[in-house]
Amino acid sequence: MTPVLIFGATRGVGLELARLLRRDGTPVLAMVRPRTDALPLLEIGADIMPGDALDPVAVKQALDALGAQGIVVSTISGRTEDGRYVDDAGNRVIVDTAAIRGVRHFILVTSIGCGEMMPFRSERAIAAFGDVVDAKTRAETHLKTSGLPFTLIRPGGLGNEPATGRGMLSENPAIHGFIQREDVALLIRQVMSDPGAIGKAYAAVDRDRARIDPIPEAGTG
Ligand SMILES: NC(=O)c1ccc[n+]([C@@H]2O[C@H](COP(=O)([O-])OP(=O)(O)OC[C@H]3O[C@@H](n4cnc5c(N)ncnc54)[C@H](OP(=O)(O)O)[C@@H]3O)[C@@H](O)[C@H]2O)c1
């Protein structure tokens, strides 16, 4: 089975994905920062790659362990001590290293509102998440121009309830909505085995909690 290296597997969508893949018997490698609890990953039989996504040496070691036919998934998010977004800076390190090393498929989890979805952001969303969505968009652009086979997954607002099984992928830039983290993990697993997903950017929302918004007028939100 194709091994999968996850950056961001310690919680949220990344951990849900690790659980799903391990249930299938898929080998999972997970980069875990030194001060983060790796127990939930050890308990499911994931291989821990100690390190930080901002450290090119650690990232190279993890990619070497994965091998050129492996799949990379990154869900990382957060701020560095000097205020940079890991969403941009960390993903750049992973993309640059993977571009040298070679991987079968690079799946980057960003957010609704990234890239060509930008004009559909409300002023309220820009005020609340604008900076991080901009950082994620820079990471998306970096991956798109890296030459790697990629897929972008842009979830809507995330919930922690069990999967509804109603998650959907959409290329409509005006779509908004919510989705459970476990449903995002199911969609990532689906994309891994779909050659047609290479080069695509998808919003990920629950079909029962999706809506299509017009481009907001200035001053609304
Ligand atoms: N919250 C929402 O409603 C929402 C909406 C749309 C999109 N998203 C995006 O969807 C993705 C998944 O979100 P989530 O809330 O499920 O997960 P999350 O809680 O944001 O998890 C972030 C992961 O990134 C890891 N990480 C951060 N900095 C790192 C570094 N320097 N090196 C290695 N790992 C690092 C964290 O590890 P540690 O445990 O060590 O900190 C953690 O595993 C994120 O990219 C998020 O921004 C979220």
Side-chain angles (χ1 to χ4, degrees), residues 3 10 12 15 20 32 61 83 118 131 152 161 170 183:
T10 56
L15 181 56
L20 272 183
V32 179
Q61 281 170 353
M118 279 200 168
D131 287 353
L152 306 176
E161 299 298 317
S170 169
D183 282 311

Side-chain angles (χ1 to χ4, degrees), residues 30-76:
M31 175 160 283
V32 179
R33 294 194 282 184
R35 278 181 283 184
T36 299
D37 182 11
L39 192 58
L41 290 162
L42 287 167
E43 282 174 348
I44 58 171
D47 287 328
I48 306 302
M49 301 284 126
D52 190 303
L54 294 161
D55 174 2
V57 175
V59 172
K60 181 177 180 303
Q61 281 170 353
L63 285 161
D64 284 347
L66 177 72
Q69 286 309 308
I71 296 173
V72 172
V73 178
S74 175
T75 68
I76 61 171

